[in-house]
Amino acid sequence: TLEYTTRTPDLINSWEEFTPSTKPIQLLSGKKLYVRGKLTGDNSNTNYTTFTITGNISVSGNLNSLWNYENLEQSLYDFCGHALFYNCKGLINASGLSLGTYATTLANHCYSGMFAGCSSLTTAPELPATELAQSCYVDMFNGCNNLIEAPDLPATALTERCYLYMFANCRSLNYIKCLAINGINQNNSTTNWVNGVQTNSGTFVKHPNATDWTTDGGNGIPSNWTVIDNA
């Protein structure tokens, strides 16, 4: 269930439910749309929410308010954010979007494809998770051609397909900080994760104990990038 309002959200009875008959919502420049929701747990790769957006916009706020606005500490569901902003080419800034401290432990496919195809995105949200799940970030930023810096990746142990195609075709990307030590390039954890990233220059910050990175350009560190240990 999703609800929305264009008014100050704490006003009584200002929320309306999104239904199949809800007409497209038009906003004047500088105006905001507020959205909140609740998940039933019946979510999968065939049952998920995608916003269709036109015009240049930014997104911000606590993302957990979409899963359960009455409990912002709700644990993540599998596929909860799958393809949430898929192909929203007018989405420019997501730096104000908080995935929250509750999300240090992820769920399967929870953010897969979330920003895939957002070709105008320049700034990404922080990714604070330290415990990953299967396929949690698959394709998350695939095709974000204007993304310059990747969000820091603090997890030290990688899981199956966790970073698969995560930054593929991010042609402007020139900075990645990834503190992985275990699971690098195992079980497709980093398969093609930087495939198509520019190789002229860039900086890769790694954990000083990480010894399994390669510079093959697609599955490891982009070729010709400067590699430094995290202080």
Side-chain angles (χ1 to χ4, degrees), residues 1 3 15 35-39 62-74:
T1 300
E3 297 177 329
W15 294 93
V35 183
R36 70 183 188 183
K38 285 186 178 182
L39 278 178
N62 191 330
L63 193 61
N64 210 31
S65 62
L66 291 183
W67 325 140
N68 186 347
Y69 69 85
E70 293 181 333
N71 178 14
L72 297 183
E73 301 301 315
Q74 171 71 51

Side-chain angles (χ1 to χ4, degrees), residues 85-160:
F85 299 106
Y86 175 75
N87 214 30
C88 290
K89 298 187 181 303
L91 179 55
I92 297 173
N93 188 343
S95 61
L97 191 65
S98 172
L99 276 58
T101 56
Y102 70 90
T104 54
T105 300
L106 301 186
N108 295 338
H109 285 272
C110 57
Y111 300 133
S112 57
M114 178 180 280
F115 298 103
C118 294
S119 55
S120 298
L121 186 68
T122 59
T123 49
E126 294 183 3
L127 302 180
T130 54
E131 296 184 36
L132 306 183
Q134 178 180 307
S135 304
C136 54
Y137 292 137
V138 168
D139 283 311
M140 187 174 186
F141 299 101
N142 193 344
C144 292
N145 296 328
N146 282 296
L147 186 64
I148 297 174
E149 292 192 8
D152 291 353
L153 302 172
T156 56
L158 303 189
T159 58
E160 184 178 356

